[in-house]
Each structure stands twice: as C-alpha cells, then as structure tokens.
Amino acid sequence: MLFAGSPVKEIEALYYPNKEWEPPDEANRILTDRRLLFCSKIENLFDANKKKNVENLLLSQKAALAWLKLHPEYVIFHTDKNLGPAIIELEEYVRLAWRDHLSDTSTYRRLDEKEFFSRISYIRSSILSFIDKFKSIPEGEKLYITRMLEDTSSGNECSYMYLLAKIHKNPMKTRAIISYAGCLCSGLAKWVDTQLQKIVKHMPYVAKSSSNVVHDTTARQWPPGSLLFTMDAVSMYTNIHLGHALPTISNFLKNTTKGKNISTIEKLNIPAILAALEFIMMNNIFKFGDTSWLQTA
C-alpha cells in the first residue's frame, strides 16, 4: 500500500533500440585493452571444449523430464499465488478453459477465420491512424509504438490466453491470463501503461503487493478500535464495464479538481490516453490453441 507522500518508483521511459546503430571506434586504448581482456575471460568461462558443469538433476528427475517431452498429452502450467508448477492432461486443460472462461458468451466471442484477419488488419491500420492523429505525442514515444507495430512477426499479431491453476481453491478453478507481449497492440498498450502510472502515483494510496500492504499497515500506529477489512473481486478485469469505466475515467481527468491538477502536473495528453485506452480495451483479440476470440467485456 502506497500512502500519499511515500516514495514513488521512477516510471521507465519507453525505449526501443535502434538495430542499425553501431558503436563508434574506441579512441581510448586502455578501455580497448580492458574490453578485450573481459571478453577473453568470459569466453573462457563458456568454452565448449572445457569440462561441462556437473548436472544437479537426479536421474529420476532427468527421466521424468525426458518422459514429459515424449508425452504432449500432458501440460505443465503455473499455479496462482506462485505455488509452483502443476501438471494436467491437455484434454482437461482445454475443458477447464471452456468451463471457466470461454463458455461465457457475455465476455468472449469466438471469431471465424475471415473476421479474425479482418480485425487484425483493422487493428494495424487503427494504430497507425492513432500515431498520425495525435501528433503532439513526443517523437520518441511515437517511434516506440511504430517500431513495436512493425516488428510484430507473422502469426503473432494477437495475444495468447493461458491458464493459471488455483490449486488453493476446492474445487480447483483457473485464472485466465491474456498476454499482450509481442502482439500488434503491445507498443500502444505499453504506452498507455506508462501514462496511467503517471496518474496512479498521485493517488492517496495504491496496493502494489500483499507484502507491501503487510509492511505498511504493521509499521503504522493505529488508534484503538481501528478495523482492518479486505475485499476480493471475482474476475476483476472482465467485470469492468467499459460503458461505465471509460466515461468515469474521462470525467475524473477532465472535470475533477484532482484529475485536472494531475493532468497539468504530468502534462498528460488526455484525448490520446482516452482514445488509446478505449481502443485497447475494445480490441482484445486472442488465441487459445487453434481458435480465435474477442473479449467483449
């Protein structure tokens, strides 16, 4: 929990490396000699001809891993709450994805091949239009979004859904994770995230992790009779009603005193943030296995 006035981690600036850049020739001979010596030492450490490191796996563990490689009908996946890896039959994994998530027609809609590729084309052109429309966005940030879009490889244009096992629940349930990494929207989504972080750091408090909550609440002296209570949200993201959330965020930034102060201090491009946020939330296309889906809520 971050309280007002507590230190705030510096927000990382968007950066995309220029792959064509080459460092200039070294003018300092001492630095050159040190670099060559360093490289030589590293190469010696990883010399393939040297004796290999002693393996730390038991024979039974190596045999288990070899067996798993030969049996794709099993899936190794992560558990929720960082409780370690779990194993499950592929058929059961797919069944749980359908039971817990994809069967909910109010949240997900399956796309046929034609609509999928049509939406992919729409997303690509819309992001380019966004960059062209909001010219006041700093050049470095626009370049980041553009390069992330251009570098999206064929076949990875959309997100992918995978499951986390809630083994602490009885009966077991799953949490759906839809990863934006590497997809067409990843650059724009990252840009939105950096803008929202600028807003969040001005909030009275934000729960960053359970360990921070424990540390900050136990470090304070609370008056007698104080009550501590918790709340939980079921499938929080999919329960955010876009028709309510987007106007609420817009009203906060445009019409409230605190929102307008934050916008002024951080020099926020409110129209661009709202447009990008709406686009990201309305165009969450993802794959699960060989099927394509649109998140509608």
Side-chain angles (χ1 to χ4, degrees), residues 178-207:
I178 300 176
S179 173
Y180 259 50
C183 73
L184 289 174
C185 290
S186 60
L188 185 61
K190 178 64 176 177
W191 180 81
V192 170
D193 179 63
T194 61
Q195 303 306 304
L196 295 180
Q197 287 183 48
K198 295 177 182 179
I199 299 171
V200 168
K201 71 180 185 181
H202 292 277
M203 296 296 103
Y205 57 87
V206 177

Side-chain angles (χ1 to χ4, degrees), residues 270-297:
I270 301 301
I273 293 173
L274 294 174
L277 187 60
E278 180 176 7
F279 181 81
I280 292 297
M281 298 183 74
M282 296 292 289
N283 291 278
N284 189 11
I285 296 176
F286 64 92
K287 281 185 172 292
F288 181 75
D290 59 354
T291 60
S292 305
W293 301 81
L294 171 67
Q295 184 171 320
T296 57

Side-chain angles (χ1 to χ4, degrees), residues 25-284:
D25 293 335
E26 296 153 338
N28 189 318
R29 187 62 205 175
I30 295 177
L31 292 179
T32 302
D33 291 341
R34 288 185 177 181
R35 178 181 63 80
L36 293 175
L37 179 61
F38 175 79
C39 291
S40 176
K41 295 280 189 181
I42 294 295
E43 289 171 358
N44 287 334
L45 288 174
F46 295 94
D47 190 343
N49 296 322
K50 288 183 176 291
K51 184 179 178 180
K52 293 184 178 179
N53 293 329
V54 178
E55 294 181 348
N56 61 357
L57 293 178
L58 299 175
L59 289 177
S60 58
Q61 294 171 327
K62 292 177 65 176
L65 292 174
W67 185 88
L68 286 172
K69 289 178 65 176
L70 297 174
H71 291 80
E73 66 270 23
Y74 290 94
V75 174
I76 305 295
F77 67 134
H78 292 290
T79 57
D80 199 21
K81 310 297 184 185
N82 291 319
L83 297 177
I87 184 171
I88 191 173
E89 298 90 346
L90 175 60
E91 184 176 340
E92 179 66 6
Y93 183 84
V94 174
R95 188 189 73 81
L96 290 174
W98 175 258
R99 184 199 71 179
D100 295 347
H101 310 287
L102 299 177
S103 60
D104 182 1
T105 56
S106 65
T107 304
Y108 303 103
R109 180 168 68 84
R110 186 170 178 178
L111 305 177
D112 58 32
E113 186 176 7
K114 181 179 179 181
E115 185 177 5
F116 170 75
F117 284 110
S118 175
R119 284 184 172 272
I120 288 296
S121 177
Y122 167 75
I123 289 174
R124 189 185 298 274
S125 61
S126 295
I127 294 177
L128 292 174
S129 297
F130 172 87
I131 296 170
D132 183 63
K133 177 179 180 180
F134 296 102
K135 300 183 186 300
S136 57
I137 296 176
E139 289 300 320
E141 296 177 10
K142 288 191 292 186
L143 181 62
Y144 174 85
I145 299 171
T146 303
R147 285 182 171 172
M148 291 292 287
L149 182 67
E150 292 173 346
D151 280 4
T152 303
S153 59
S154 177
N156 291 313
E157 294 91 349
C158 68
S159 308
Y160 285 85
M161 187 183 88
Y162 61 91
L163 304 180
L164 297 181
K166 295 185 175 184
I167 59 174
H168 57 289
K169 299 286 187 179
N170 187 18
M172 189 190 81
K173 296 182 179 181
T174 61
R175 180 190 301 277
I177 304 294
I178 300 176
S179 173
Y180 259 50
C183 73
L184 289 174
C185 290
S186 60
L188 185 61
K190 178 64 176 177
W191 180 81
V192 170
D193 179 63
T194 61
Q195 303 306 304
L196 295 180
Q197 287 183 48
K198 295 177 182 179
I199 299 171
V200 168
K201 71 180 185 181
H202 292 277
M203 296 296 103
Y205 57 87
V206 177
K208 295 185 65 177
S209 68
S210 57
S211 59
N212 278 349
V213 171
V214 171
H215 175 270
D216 290 326
T217 52
T218 56
R220 293 182 55 156
Q221 294 294 324
W222 300 95
S226 297
L227 298 177
L228 178 66
F229 65 95
T230 63
M231 294 183 294
D232 194 12
V234 178
S235 188
M236 181 171 62
Y237 184 84
T238 57
N239 279 313
I240 299 175
H241 190 278
L242 302 186
H244 172 72
L246 293 173
T248 299
I249 296 171
S250 176
N251 179 67
F252 170 75
L253 293 174
K254 291 180 176 179
N255 301 322
T256 67
T257 301
K258 187 174 187 63
K260 288 189 287 187
N261 287 340
I262 294 173
S263 300
T264 301
I265 294 170
E266 298 294 341
K267 300 178 181 178
L268 300 177
N269 188 329
I270 301 301
I273 293 173
L274 294 174
L277 187 60
E278 180 176 7
F279 181 81
I280 292 297
M281 298 183 74
M282 296 292 289
N283 291 278
N284 189 11

